[in-house]
Amino acid sequence: MATSDNKTADTDEKIFIGKGEEAAWLTLALANRHGLVTGATGTGKTVSLQVMAEGFARAGVPVFAADIKGDLSGISEVGEAKDFILKRAGEMGLNFQPDQFSTVFWDVFGEQGHPVRATVTEMGPLLLSRMLDLNDVQEGVLNVAFRVADESGLTLIDMKDMRALLDAIVPDTSKRGPDDGEDPLASIRKAAQGYGNVTKATVGTIQRQLLVLENQGGAKFFGEPALTLKDFMRTDSDGRGMVNILVADKLMQSPRLYATFLLWMLSELFEELPEAGDLPKPKLVFFFDEAHLLFTDAPKALMDKIEQVVRLIRSKGVGVYFVTQNPIDVPDKVLSQMGNRVQHALRAFTPRDQKAVQAAAQTFRPNPKLDTARVIMELGKGEALVSFLEGGGTPAMVERIMVRPPSARIGPITPEERKAIMDNSPVKGKYDTAIDAESAYEMIQKRIAGTAAHPDDGSAGGGGGILGQIGSIVGTIFGTNVSRGRMSTGQIIARNVTRSVTNKVVGGVVADLGKSVGGALGGSVGRALVRGALGGLLRR
């Protein structure tokens, strides 16, 4: 049963979610078996998400959650003892104690949180194709571009790098006279044609899709310093897990960008974290709101890899919780991985709605005392049907409960409160200044201008002098200057070295110096051309 204090209602092993005839507990040791929170708009999904996030944070588990409407930001401020909150707490035997949780705000656009960036290389052709909504032929050309970049030592960091590379692989149809000299990009064009027919029309289509992405603000996502995922996995001075909130109200205006961005984060977590086995509690819990966007119009190859990553990432100690309106929004293969379920009310106004209610009812372990399908349509705001995994990893019988009230504020915070939190953030200053390191765009411009070093002069493609030569040697040792299949341990080290150098530059050096360091170390040391877990899995 629940105890009489919000701070002690959760135990070292379980999180108190709510109460019906019995108390409903989420077992921390089974929380990495993933979960699903569903229900119609306005039925209390966000409050349930906040209650779960608070419980994980109290247990010392870092949380990442996308905040679509801004309501979740209230978790950073002290809760208010309003009448309806006190009433609900009293009904559950809780003595409501206001609380707040250490929070870090993130924002792809860098407006309401710290900027979140990745390099084009890290995104890889599979996810970038998804982001650009390319067809099979266009995706094939994009794969050719990435392979040519690998072989030519061209580092892809931001959108201008991608544009410059695409221009460079287009066949040169102009007639050159004796005085015109050699095409400075002939080797790049020849390499591209060696993998298939790369046409100007196809490249032009990809370029137009890049423009659409830029107009949606996607260009701000690509660049450096790139996000270090360990910054999500912090605890505060009290040992509580930090709550990382992605401000997603503006990002949601571009649903494909939103879904692909969160999928990239999952793939990076899968790639970077070591195997952990069965832990007493997760290393990180990841809440994916509006999860249906991840699966809408996704090609089969991508769907298979999403299912594979969701299935395997739990062994890394990460719990993934999808939040969406309907359980039928989630494919069966993925749904079968969701062991912990919270179902809010659904309304059956149409045949599809009725199908959704029946599907939702069938995903629960039956309870002889409940007509699950009927109860789903009768649930009031704040009520839910829940089934959490029990000791043996089997789902408990479905129970009808009232979800406990959050102890932090319910609803959005003010701009002033947000600014105060960001000013005291543990990552303040680390990502706030963008760095334009020397990369594919600058390298290609040098070739065109005739200033690029020749391959046989002993220097790497991106940097000159002794640093460039050292970088070339290190890049060869780590395998980042040669064509690769899977990413080696050395390549991971190379990428981490590069990120470390870049992040130190941000600490107080102007962007011009960053460009110089990026050219000498970022290009020459051999920035690892990471593809993320999904790209890596496709090659297996």
Side-chain angles (χ1 to χ4, degrees):
M1 294 293 291
T3 61
S4 60
D5 191 302
N6 266 347
K7 295 183 179 180
T8 58
D10 301 326
T11 73
D12 292 337
E13 299 177 351
K14 297 181 179 181
I15 299 172
F16 176 56
I17 302 298
K19 185 181 177 185
E21 290 189 4
E22 301 288 339
W25 300 88
L26 174 58
T27 303
L28 286 167
L30 299 172
N32 67 329
R33 304 291 181 92
H34 309 320
L36 183 69
V37 181
T38 52
T41 301
T43 56
K45 294 193 301 294
T46 301
V47 170
S48 291
L49 192 161
Q50 182 169 335
V51 166
M52 295 170 77
E54 289 181 3
F56 283 119
R58 284 194 192 96
V61 178
V63 172
F64 173 88
D67 190 11
I68 303 295
K69 299 174 290 185
D71 292 347
L72 195 58
S73 60
I75 199 171
S76 62
E77 299 296 329
V78 177
E80 303 171 16
K82 296 183 177 179
D83 290 343
F84 75 93
I85 292 177
L86 294 175
K87 180 181 178 183
R88 184 179 299 184
E91 291 171 349
M92 297 181 183
L94 292 172
N95 180 21
F96 179 75
Q97 295 290 327
D99 205 350
Q100 66 185 127
F101 298 84
S102 299
T103 305
V104 178
F105 291 105
W106 303 89
D107 184 358
V108 168
F109 304 101
E111 296 170 357
Q112 300 182 68
H114 301 291
V116 183
R117 301 185 192 89
T119 65
V120 172
T121 287
E122 287 173 320
M123 181 62 65
L126 177 66
L127 293 184
L128 188 58
S129 296
R130 165 74 169 157
M131 194 176 282
L132 297 175
D133 195 19
L134 302 184
N135 62 28
D136 290 344
V137 173
Q138 295 153 3
E139 183 178 347
V141 170
L142 196 64
N143 273 279
V144 169
F146 273 79
R147 175 61 69 88
V148 170
D150 282 4
E151 296 178 346
S152 303
L154 299 173
T155 308
L156 302 176
I157 294 179
D158 52 26
M159 295 289 267
K160 71 178 186 301
D161 292 329
M162 193 72 245
R163 285 194 174 282
L165 176 63
L166 287 170
D167 286 338
I169 66 174
V170 173
D172 184 8
T173 56
S174 62
K175 295 182 179 180
R176 291 182 172 273
D179 300 328
D180 291 337
E182 264 188 45
D183 177 8
L185 303 179
S187 62
I188 296 177
R189 302 188 203 280
K190 182 178 179 181
Q193 292 300 320
Y195 291 110
N197 185 25
V198 177
T199 67
K200 186 174 182 179
T202 301
V203 171
T205 301
I206 298 173
Q207 291 278 32
R208 288 191 293 274
Q209 290 300 97
L210 283 173
L211 179 61
V212 172
L213 182 61
E214 288 176 354
N215 290 340
Q216 293 173 343
K220 293 184 178 181
F221 172 58
F222 294 105
E224 288 195 318
L227 176 67
T228 302
L229 290 176
K230 287 183 179 178
D231 285 331
F232 284 162
M233 305 178 72
R234 295 172 177 263
T235 54
D236 62 17
S237 57
D238 296 325
R240 289 182 167 195
M242 299 287 290
V243 179
N244 299 274
I245 293 182
L246 176 70
V247 181
D249 51 350
K250 184 176 179 180
L251 185 61
M252 269 297 296
Q253 296 174 20
S254 307
R256 192 177 292 270
L257 176 59
Y258 166 80
T260 309
F261 165 70
L262 290 186
L263 182 55
W264 165 78
M265 287 187 59
L266 273 181
S267 68
E268 285 286 286
L269 283 167
F270 177 84
E271 174 197 327
E272 291 192 8
L273 294 177
E275 291 288 329
D278 293 326
L279 299 173
K281 61 185 178 183
K283 290 183 178 179
L284 175 73
V285 171
F286 191 104
F287 288 96
F288 198 139
D289 203 357
E290 298 294 340
H292 66 280
L293 296 173
L294 181 60
F295 309 105
T296 303
D297 299 326
K300 184 180 184 304
L302 183 58
M303 289 288 293
D304 290 343
K305 299 312 164 186
I306 293 171
E307 186 269 331
Q308 193 170 4
V309 169
V310 170
R311 177 166 49 86
L312 296 177
I313 200 171
R314 78 182 190 192
S315 67
K316 306 294 183 88
V318 177
V320 180
Y321 287 71
F322 288 138
V323 184
T324 188
Q325 291 197 15
N326 245 312
I328 61 173
D329 294 335
V330 181
D332 289 343
K333 285 185 177 180
V334 177
L335 192 62
S336 66
Q337 305 295 321
M338 307 287 109
N340 299 295
R341 305 282 181 88
V342 178
Q343 174 69 61
H344 289 275
L346 290 174
R347 310 305 179 200
F349 298 125
T350 68
R352 184 180 185 277
D353 293 339
Q354 294 168 6
K355 180 181 177 183
V357 169
Q358 293 299 323
Q362 291 168 8
T363 62
F364 286 105
R365 178 182 167 188
N367 184 338
K369 299 178 181 178
L370 291 177
D371 180 345
T372 307
R374 179 178 58 80
V375 172
I376 287 176
M377 295 184 288
E378 295 176 350
L379 293 171
K381 187 173 182 179
E383 281 191 299
L385 289 174
V386 299
S387 174
F388 298 126
L389 295 177
E390 296 181 317
T394 57
M397 286 193 298
V398 61
E399 295 284 351
R400 180 176 185 169
I401 69 163
M402 179 66 74
V403 177
R404 67 176 288 181
S407 50
R409 182 188 300 176
I410 300 175
I413 61 175
T414 66
E416 292 76 21
E417 289 169 333
R418 185 184 299 272
K419 182 178 183 304
I421 292 169
M422 291 183 62
D423 286 343
N424 291 285
S425 168
V427 296
K428 178 177 171 57
K430 184 173 182 179
Y431 299 104
D432 298 336
T433 303
I435 286 186
D436 187 12
E438 182 173 280
S439 48
Y441 173 81
E442 289 81 11
M443 295 175 188
I444 290 172
Q445 292 305 308
K446 282 184 179 181
R447 290 198 186 197
I448 294 173
T451 61
H454 293 289
D456 60 354
D457 70 358
S459 65
I466 186 64
L467 283 176
Q469 295 177 37
I470 293 172
S472 179
I473 295 170
V474 174
T476 302
I477 293 172
F478 286 160
T480 54
N481 291 345
V482 297
S483 178
R484 299 169 314 285
R486 288 185 217 171
M487 190 178 177
S488 68
T489 301
Q491 290 169 316
I492 295 172
I493 295 172
R495 181 183 67 171
N496 290 341
V497 168
T498 302
R499 283 187 170 187
S500 175
V501 171
T502 305
N503 288 338
K504 286 179 181 177
V505 172
V506 180
V509 185
V510 295
D512 286 343
L513 179 57
K515 197 176 191 68
S516 172
V517 172
L521 292 177
S524 305
V525 170
R527 224 178 271 273
L529 301 182
V530 188
R531 293 294 175 261
L534 296 181
L537 286 169
L538 278 177
R539 291 194 296 273
R540 295 185 181 180

